[in-house]
Amino acid sequence: MYFSFGPYVDAGRWAKAKPAYSAIDYINTTRLGSKNSPLIVNKSGRYFRVRGWAVGKDAEVERIFIIMDKKDYLCEYGFKRKDVAAAYQRSDYLYCGYYAKIPLSDLKPGYYFITLKILLKDKRHPHYPGKKVWIKIQP
């Protein structure tokens, strides 16, 4: 059964379309791999940095947020990523890189998950990629 409450509503996410592709590539200067152990971030600095890329499948990306500890951190978007454009063979994916500085003063020492929230210009719904990055903030 499918209920529609207004334009573009898909509350149950039954449409199953993949509206965006994305990756978190770096935390500070560490390139993320496939291992599941937490990445260690020392609290000695003022910020830690997150870099990656995101593209919309059928619509342009409007904004990207890093979600961490129930807070949204706005990313700067539009950095050049030749590797992504080449991998997907789409020149419109060339400026799909993002970057965020997250203040360490917002976080207590402990374990956290980082994930993305991608807002597309089609305004249908935010996209939450399933991939999460596990980090440990150390004093």
Side-chain angles (χ1 to χ4, degrees), residues 24-25 27 30-40 113 131-135:
I24 299 173
D25 290 335
I27 304 268
T30 303
R31 181 153 180 80
L32 300 178
S34 59
K35 66 179 188 171
N36 290 331
S37 59
L39 181 72
I40 306 297
F113 281 108
K131 173 94 173 152
K132 294 179 181 179
V133 176
W134 189 25
I135 67 167

Side-chain angles (χ1 to χ4, degrees), residues 17-132:
K18 294 186 177 180
Y21 304 111
S22 64
I24 299 173
D25 290 335
Y26 289 91
I27 304 268
N28 289 334
T29 58
T30 303
R31 181 153 180 80
L32 300 178
S34 59
K35 66 179 188 171
N36 290 331
S37 59
L39 181 72
I40 306 297
V41 175
N42 290 318
K43 201 167 163 126
S44 59
R46 292 178 48 200
Y47 299 95
F48 75 94
R49 291 155 179 79
V50 179
R51 290 186 292 154
W53 60 271
V55 294
K57 180 179 174 187
D58 298 320
E60 290 182 41
V61 172
E62 183 174 307
R63 281 185 266 168
I64 299 174
F65 295 91
I66 299 291
I67 301 175
M68 186 170 170
D69 197 29
K70 299 180 184 177
K71 293 182 185 174
D72 290 356
Y73 297 93
L74 182 63
C75 297
E76 294 180 43
Y77 182 72
F79 296 100
K80 196 173 200 177
R81 292 292 304 256
K82 290 181 184 179
D83 58 329
V84 177
Y88 285 95
Q89 299 179 358
R90 293 197 44 180
S91 60
D92 56 330
Y93 287 1
L94 184 59
Y95 292 95
C96 66
Y98 67 82
Y99 172 84
K101 280 181 15 178
I102 298 176
L104 286 166
S105 60
D106 286 0
L107 304 168
K108 296 178 183 175
Y111 293 92
Y112 296 91
F113 281 108
I114 296 174
T115 190
L116 297 175
K117 177 168 85 172
I118 302 168
L119 301 176
L120 301 175
K121 289 186 178 178
D122 68 359
K123 308 282 191 214
R124 291 187 182 218
H125 51 77
H127 177 67
Y128 299 93
K131 173 94 173 152
K132 294 179 181 179

